[in-house]
Amino acid sequence: MKFFVDTAEVADIRSLVELGMVDGVTTNPSLIAKSGRNMAEVIAEICAITPGPVSAEVTATEYEGMLAEGRFLRQIAANVCVKVPLTEAGLRTCKTLSSEGTQVNVTLCFSAGQAILAAKAGATFISPFVGRLDDIGQDGLELIAEIVEIYANYPDFTTEVLVASIRHPIHLIQSAKLGAHVATLPPAVIRQLLKHPLTDRGLEAFLADWKKTGQSIL
Ligand code: G3P
């Protein structure tokens, strides 16, 4: 399973790259706004330290505008993946950009039907938002199960399921059980996955016992 990091904070990305937890990065207009940085500058910086795709989202809503923005964003770095919303204009932009060899992430997916359309339009990634479905009382993980099952029926669908809007470790673990290709994780969720109170308590006990021996390894 590939891990993308869902942030535009360069320091967070850098430290997670050092941990081996970063196969790619996803950003969106809200995350860019939160970073307080210029979009082109921060995307260039993220691309330079990230081994895989870095999603940069268009903000135009019409086809021509989306296409122009997508073509601008992709020239920032070879690993830019243009992110478009799941609208008619977004799918048309996806089809054009993917036929030009650009990676495209189709975002704001909330139904299996939308995911089928994105695959037909040549999306590299489809981003279903699990947390936001949970927020309105629908089972976000059920949507992941549906899309994974449907895509597996059609080997000519090369679109990867990129689970987005992950809010806690269970979203990630269940998505992995379902065989989702990619999860995009807020840095805080990666840290939650790392921590376990029994690990902390066990280490404390080992170190206390070791101290009693009076030894040092080096
Ligand atoms: O990648 C999309 C993600 O950032 C949305 O997450 O928590 O704002 O629903 P959230």
Side-chain angles (χ1 to χ4, degrees):
M1 181 184 224
K2 283 177 274 192
F3 270 23
F4 289 2
V5 188
D6 199 26
T7 186
E9 301 300 328
V10 175
D12 275 334
I13 296 165
R14 192 168 278 124
S15 68
L16 290 165
V17 166
E18 284 163 5
L19 263 190
M21 295 300 150
V22 182
D23 301 303
V25 169
T26 52
T27 68
N28 61 38
S30 304
L31 294 171
I32 297 287
K34 197 170 160 205
S35 78
R37 302 273 315 270
N38 169 274
M39 182 182 181
E41 276 174 26
V42 78
I43 292 292
E45 219 174 293
I46 294 170
C47 284
I49 59 168
T50 302
V54 174
S55 289
E57 188 163 342
V58 301
T59 53
T61 53
E62 300 306 320
Y63 171 71
E64 288 75 14
M66 282 187 186
L67 191 57
E69 288 183 357
R71 286 175 174 157
F72 170 79
L73 292 169
R74 75 178 175 197
Q75 54 75 44
I76 293 175
N79 53 337
V80 164
C81 173
V82 176
K83 202 174 187 188
V84 298
L86 212 154
T87 60
E88 188 169 340
L91 290 181
R92 191 174 160 204
T93 305
C94 173
K95 184 180 182 325
T96 305
L97 289 176
S98 62
S99 70
E100 293 171 356
T102 299
Q103 295 198 77
V104 182
N105 177 357
V106 177
T107 190
L108 292 167
C109 171
F110 294 97
S111 77
Q114 288 181 320
I116 293 171
L117 297 188
K120 295 289 293 176
T124 316
F125 303 105
I126 181 68
S127 291
F129 278 34
V130 289
R132 291 192 194 183
L133 278 172
D134 290 355
D135 289 345
I136 59 157
Q138 287 184 34
D139 186 350
L141 287 166
E142 184 54 42
L143 176 59
I144 302 306
E146 271 190 293
I147 301 172
V148 168
E149 181 187 346
I150 291 167
Y151 281 9
N153 287 338
Y154 299 98
D156 57 318
F157 282 179
T158 54
T159 306
E160 295 192 6
V161 179
L162 191 172
V163 184
S165 188
I166 286 181
R167 303 277 174 74
H168 49 69
I170 295 167
H171 276 150
L172 182 271
I173 294 161
Q174 293 299 332
S175 298
K177 283 185 173 178
L178 291 166
H181 307 90
V182 192
T184 189
L185 298 149
V189 174
I190 298 182
R191 289 187 197 106
Q192 275 181 289
L193 285 157
L194 173 70
K195 293 297 278 183
H196 196 288
L198 291 180
T199 305
D200 295 341
R201 212 186 302 164
L203 182 59
E204 224 172 87
F206 284 157
L207 294 180
D209 288 340
W210 179 247
K211 204 170 175 191
K212 288 180 213 156
T213 71
Q215 298 182 50
S216 75
I217 292 175
L218 295 177

